[in-house]
Amino acid sequence: MSKKAYDWAKALCYYAGKDEAFLEQFWKALTQSEGVYQEFVYYLEHQNFLCSYQIQGYSLVDIMVWQMDHFKAQMDRGKDDMKTNGDKMLLMAFDTMLKMEQDPLRYIARMKEETGTDYPGKYE
């Protein structure tokens, strides 16, 4: 599975506009994380989320939802291509989960504090 998973990671990086250095960093972190790697392979095989691995109660889907909300302001202003780039959104969710393993409190705080612009007074 490793070759197939690597090829898919490489394709995701390509379609997300990420360079070879990002791919190598991402792949190294991914293969060092049993939980995130299992989620990655499951998604590759089923095009669906397993969500069996969580970091302090947060799953990959939680990260995806936060990302969609978090980047909404940028997407609304046309400053981010995640609105039209599902591969990038997916890749960044896996990458965020890998980073969250290393610093869970930072990412949990960000998920609780950083939201989209759906409510009045956000930028006041």
Side-chain angles (χ1 to χ4, degrees), residues 20-85:
E20 187 77 22
F22 181 92
L23 168 63
E24 295 310 316
Q25 168 273 322
F26 175 76
W27 184 250
K28 181 180 178 183
L30 184 66
T31 56
Q32 291 175 349
S33 170
E34 184 178 332
V36 181
Y37 185 79
Q38 180 184 16
E39 295 284 334
F40 188 81
V41 169
Y42 185 88
Y43 194 92
L44 169 61
E45 293 175 343
H46 302 279
Q47 285 72 57
N48 203 350
F49 298 101
L50 179 60
C51 292
S52 69
Y53 180 65
Q54 296 183 358
I55 300 170
Q56 294 190 18
Y58 290 89
S59 71
L60 195 60
V61 169
D62 295 316
I63 292 170
M64 289 282 293
V65 169
W66 170 70
Q67 281 184 169
M68 284 185 263
D69 191 39
H70 174 73
F71 294 115
K72 183 177 264 188
Q74 292 177 1
M75 291 187 305
D76 288 347
R77 294 181 186 114
K79 293 182 180 178
D80 197 301
D81 64 346
M82 281 202 220
K83 185 175 188 176
T84 58
N85 191 335

Side-chain angles (χ1 to χ4, degrees), residues 22 25 55 92 94-104 106-107:
F22 181 92
Q25 168 273 322
I55 300 170
M92 298 317 294
F94 281 110
D95 188 58
T96 297
M97 188 169 226
L98 289 167
K99 291 174 180 170
M100 191 175 179
E101 279 184 321
Q102 303 305 312
D103 192 359
R106 175 179 176 224
Y107 285 90

